[in-house]
Amino acid sequence: MLATNAASAATILHADLDAFYASVEQLLDPSLRGKPIAVGGGVVLAASYEAKVFGVRGGMPGRKACELCPQLIFVGGRFSEYQRLGDAAIRVLDDFTPLVERISIDEAFADVAGCTHLFGPPEEIARKIRRRVKAELGLPISIGVARTKHLAKIASQVAKPDGLVVVEPGTELSFLHELPVSLMWGVGPATKAKLAEIGVETIGQLAHTHSGALQRLIGHAAGQKLAALAWNRDPRRLETHRRAHSAGAQSALGRKPALPHVFVPTLLHLADRVASRLRAKDRPGRTVTVRVRFCDMRAVTRSVTLEQPIQATTMLAEIAEELVRGVLAAHPGEREISLLAISVSHLEESTELQLELPLGLADEKLKPGSRRGLARFGADRAVDKIRKRFGKEAVGYGTVALEAARSVPDEFRELAEKEL
């Protein structure tokens, strides 16, 4: 089977700054170069390659990281520097092509098909980008070049650290099928474990797995998507002006009891993060989704679509709490949870709010246009104004979230958020 892509040459680049946060810290403090470092404290936000050799990974509890690497050095995050240097790296790509799709603070796609007459073939353009980022910013960057976005991203991972991999047409499937499934977009620890149960560990094995078996294992949509990507069928084009279609937040809890005193304050903290983003862009949403991950890495999602879009913090928190209680009621044997997440989708541009008649109904607190809903929204706006003037810690919502939820600084989370 051949890859389906209109382009006849590999012109899509995926550029990814290596161990970005840790690399910035080593750049700014030369005494840290060559040493195992981790950005963070209670939780590892990022690790240098010297630390990764010992098994230290982002998202890992700090205590476990120190057990794996006793000589590990923890440093605080310099978030303004991450933003400055990440922006500067993306501007280097902009100098070669206007077709740049930034997907995070430290990585982006670029299509160079239209500028080879100016700067040379794609491989040479990639080399020039790497040289400039190293010379101008002092940071290592890995680049993958291929005909599809998915394959370019995989190639950049193979190129790490500080390398370049070009996948030429005609060699794509032989390159792809030897690689582990964990390199694929959308294959996390849970999906990887499920695939391993049926003996699928490489992308080639996935490609040759019967579609019915794959869809029964991981679901219809996910099965179809992964099967197509395993054959390098990825028709997506670059989106140079992306806006997020949803806003979400999650909190890793470790192993915590599935009890209200754990999940209620955590959900309020998450709802605060999500709803404040929605209000900042005036983009309320209709569909609320929660994800509950148990300690065996199995995750369950529940969602509800509302009559009117919402962006009030306490309203979102209460809807999320009801959904989580439903998940736990349906899984009475689960005693512990390891992660909670909230997302709001079906976002709308701000519209005139439809007012509700004050009928004293039980669910009025969940209606944005009710008297209580308007009062809640007014309180949120007041909180937003206070925080804008005095900082985010100046005022909260009465319930203090778990320390685990605050172990990752909000500045770090904001760097990863997509534009609404």
Side-chain angles (χ1 to χ4, degrees):
M1 299 178 68
L2 297 176
T4 57
N5 190 24
S8 59
T11 61
I12 296 178
L13 280 59
H14 180 261
D16 193 354
L17 291 157
D18 297 324
F20 178 54
Y21 302 109
S23 294
V24 170
E25 297 298 333
Q26 291 176 322
L27 172 69
L28 299 177
D29 185 353
S31 69
L32 297 175
R33 294 175 189 174
K35 298 179 181 179
I37 72 165
V39 180
V43 173
V44 175
L45 305 180
S48 67
Y49 279 102
E50 296 86 354
K52 290 180 179 181
V53 170
F54 293 87
V56 178
R57 296 288 184 271
M60 178 180 290
R63 181 178 300 177
K64 182 178 180 181
C66 289
E67 291 174 355
L68 293 172
C69 181
Q71 63 270 45
L72 186 66
I73 302 171
F74 272 94
V75 296
R78 287 183 257 195
F79 303 99
S80 62
E81 289 299 301
Y82 301 157
Q83 188 70 63
R84 178 181 70 83
L85 290 166
D87 291 347
I90 300 302
R91 284 196 293 271
V92 173
L93 297 177
D94 291 336
D95 287 345
F96 289 89
T97 174
L99 299 179
V100 175
E101 177 185 342
R102 188 173 187 173
I103 58 176
S104 72
I105 183 69
D106 58 350
E107 60 179 319
F109 289 104
D111 190 338
V112 298
C115 60
T116 55
H117 62 293
L118 294 174
F119 304 111
E123 181 175 357
E124 181 57 29
I125 293 173
R127 294 188 188 280
K128 290 177 180 177
I129 291 171
R130 294 187 66 242
R131 284 197 294 267
R132 280 192 53 186
V133 171
K134 188 71 173 180
E136 297 173 17
L137 306 178
L139 292 171
I141 187 169
S142 294
I143 299 181
V145 184
R147 288 199 294 177
T148 64
K149 292 173 71 174
H150 180 250
L151 191 55
K153 183 172 174 64
I154 287 180
S156 72
Q157 294 178 73
V158 174
K160 288 181 176 293
D162 196 17
L164 168 64
V165 168
V166 180
V167 186
E168 296 288 357
T171 69
E172 294 155 324
L173 295 184
S174 60
F175 169 82
L176 186 62
H177 284 181
E178 295 297 320
L179 298 173
V181 292
S182 57
L183 289 180
M184 296 185 71
W185 222 339
V187 176
T191 301
K192 178 184 175 182
K194 287 182 179 180
L195 293 171
E197 292 175 1
I198 61 171
V200 174
E201 296 183 349
T202 68
I203 298 176
Q205 291 171 333
L206 174 63
H208 290 94
T209 300
H210 189 275
S211 60
L214 190 59
Q215 291 172 23
R216 285 192 296 272
L217 184 70
I218 61 176
H220 180 75
Q224 281 192 325
K225 179 181 179 181
L226 289 184
L229 294 177
W231 288 105
N232 196 32
R233 293 198 293 268
D234 182 11
R236 294 172 301 165
R237 297 187 177 187
L238 270 66
E239 299 178 42
T240 56
H241 301 287
R242 299 181 69 194
R243 294 188 76 187
H245 301 294
S246 65
Q250 67 180 35
S251 180
L253 304 175
R255 297 176 66 97
K256 297 292 183 181
L259 296 173
H261 77 269
V262 172
F263 64 77
V264 170
T266 302
L267 291 173
L268 180 56
H269 177 76
L270 296 175
D272 185 13
R273 286 166 47 197
V274 174
S276 62
R277 290 184 64 205
L278 297 178
R279 292 193 300 274
K281 297 297 183 180
D282 211 4
R283 296 196 70 197
R286 289 180 178 272
T287 300
V288 178
T289 303
V290 300
R291 181 160 61 101
V292 181
R293 191 177 71 195
F294 302 116
C295 288
D296 61 357
M297 300 302 291
R298 186 166 53 93
V300 178
T301 61
R302 287 283 180 91
S303 64
V304 62
T305 298
L306 309 169
E307 293 181 3
Q308 288 197 60
I310 67 167
Q311 53 186 332
T313 294
T314 51
M315 190 176 296
L316 176 57
E318 288 173 359
I319 294 170
E321 179 186 338
E322 184 176 339
L323 292 172
V324 168
R325 288 182 183 274
V327 169
L328 297 177
H331 298 82
E334 299 292 347
R335 304 292 183 184
E336 294 180 319
I337 52 180
S338 63
L339 179 141
L340 289 171
I342 297 175
S343 68
V344 178
S345 56
H346 292 123
L347 304 185
E348 301 183 1
E349 302 296 338
S350 180
T351 58
E352 293 295 328
L353 185 63
Q354 182 177 342
L355 300 181
E356 303 276 350
L357 292 175
L359 300 177
L361 300 178
D363 64 346
E364 279 189 3
K365 64 181 181 180
L366 300 181
K367 294 182 178 294
S370 68
R371 181 179 298 173
R372 190 167 181 181
L374 292 171
R376 288 178 159 190
F377 185 68
D380 285 334
R381 284 299 194 192
V383 168
D384 294 338
K385 290 180 180 179
I386 293 171
R387 287 176 169 174
K388 185 175 182 179
R389 182 172 180 180
F390 299 105
K392 291 186 177 180
E393 300 301 320
V395 62
Y397 284 85
T399 303
V400 179
L402 298 177
E403 290 184 6
R406 295 185 179 275
S407 60
V408 178
D410 284 342
E411 296 93 336
F412 187 86
R413 303 180 195 275
E414 289 167 1
L415 290 178
E417 291 174 349
K418 297 177 182 178
E419 180 69 17
L420 292 180

